[in-house]
Amino acid sequence: MTSRVVPAIRAQAPPPPGRLRAAWAAAHAPVAGVQRWARIAAYTVPFTVLPSSLWRLGIIFDEGAASRSGDLPSWLPIQAYVVLLSVFSEVVAFAAIGLIAAWGEVFPRWVPVLRGRRVPTAAAVVPAAFGAVLLTALWTAGFAAHAAGLTLTGEPTPSDFPSAVGGWEAAVFYASYLPLLLWGPLLGVVTVAYARRRRRAGQPAVRQGGGRPAGTGPS
């Protein structure tokens, strides 16, 4: 009687730490020509969003959060909304890194059809500039309204709002949300640096001592 040998199923091993570190470094490494101040500004953008994201995630552990769902639809739990909003905010903030990294100038290989092609300058500059203006206006208006005791919709700030409660809750709230005032301006300066760098890269090189582009012969 012959016995059938069942091949062992090996679990797929997680990617080695070295590969993760390499992917992280590749996503953050600046390209040639990025100025130091632009690199610092781009790296700072995600950290302006992180405190408020962490503050919102604390709502998940609040037993009374479900009763303060506001205008959310009944099918969307506030805990799921908070997680999605926090993750989305961080992803959008991380996009600022693309304005100094290689994947902001050449589409990475995981992008279908466009992989390996140059990113059109306008395709990066226009949405980034629009986002910078929108974020600056949104958070400036939000804090101005909050200082006047109003919400963005013009309604009075609820009495149970963290800033109205006072004490450590108000301190944590302001420490978490005040950095958002820097999000738009920082994105704006990184966008300007990106546009200037791409414009310089698109200009023909000029030889020293003459105004003729390098590699061209006499007319």
Side-chain angles (χ1 to χ4, degrees):
M1 179 177 180
T2 59
S3 60
R4 184 168 53 184
V5 178
V6 179
I9 301 176
R10 289 183 291 181
Q12 185 177 3
R19 186 179 301 176
L20 294 177
R21 285 196 296 267
W24 178 268
H28 291 76
V31 297
V34 175
Q35 296 175 298
R36 185 172 181 270
W37 61 266
R39 184 172 70 252
I40 294 175
Y43 290 156
T44 303
V45 168
F47 290 101
T48 64
V49 182
L50 183 60
S52 59
S53 297
L54 295 177
W55 185 88
R56 284 192 301 268
L57 289 175
I59 298 177
I60 297 177
F61 304 99
D62 185 356
E63 296 180 355
S67 62
R68 300 196 302 270
S69 58
D71 297 329
L72 292 178
S74 58
W75 54 265
L76 180 61
I78 189 172
Q79 292 85 353
Y81 168 78
V82 167
V83 172
L84 292 175
L85 177 60
S86 298
V87 171
F88 176 76
S89 299
E90 287 300 324
V91 170
V92 173
F94 181 76
I97 306 295
L99 297 174
I100 65 165
W103 56 273
E105 298 189 8
V106 178
F107 288 104
R109 59 185 180 182
W110 51 264
V111 177
V113 182
L114 298 176
R115 60 171 62 95
R117 297 185 180 183
R118 296 283 291 179
V119 176
T121 303
V125 170
V126 172
F130 176 77
V133 173
L134 178 63
L135 290 167
T136 301
L138 174 65
W139 290 112
T140 301
F143 275 95
H146 183 73
L150 302 173
T151 64
L152 279 176
T153 58
E155 300 174 355
T157 302
S159 58
D160 61 346
F161 202 74
S163 61
V165 173
W168 68 269
E169 292 189 33
V172 173
F173 169 80
Y174 283 116
S176 300
Y177 274 85
L178 281 175
L180 289 172
L181 290 171
L182 300 175
W183 187 0
L186 287 174
L187 179 59
V189 298
V190 177
T191 303
V192 171
Y194 175 89
R196 290 179 176 176
R197 188 177 70 254
R198 292 294 302 273
R199 185 173 65 249
R200 288 196 302 266
Q203 293 175 348
V206 178
R207 293 186 296 182
Q208 293 183 349
R212 194 185 305 280
T216 60
S219 56

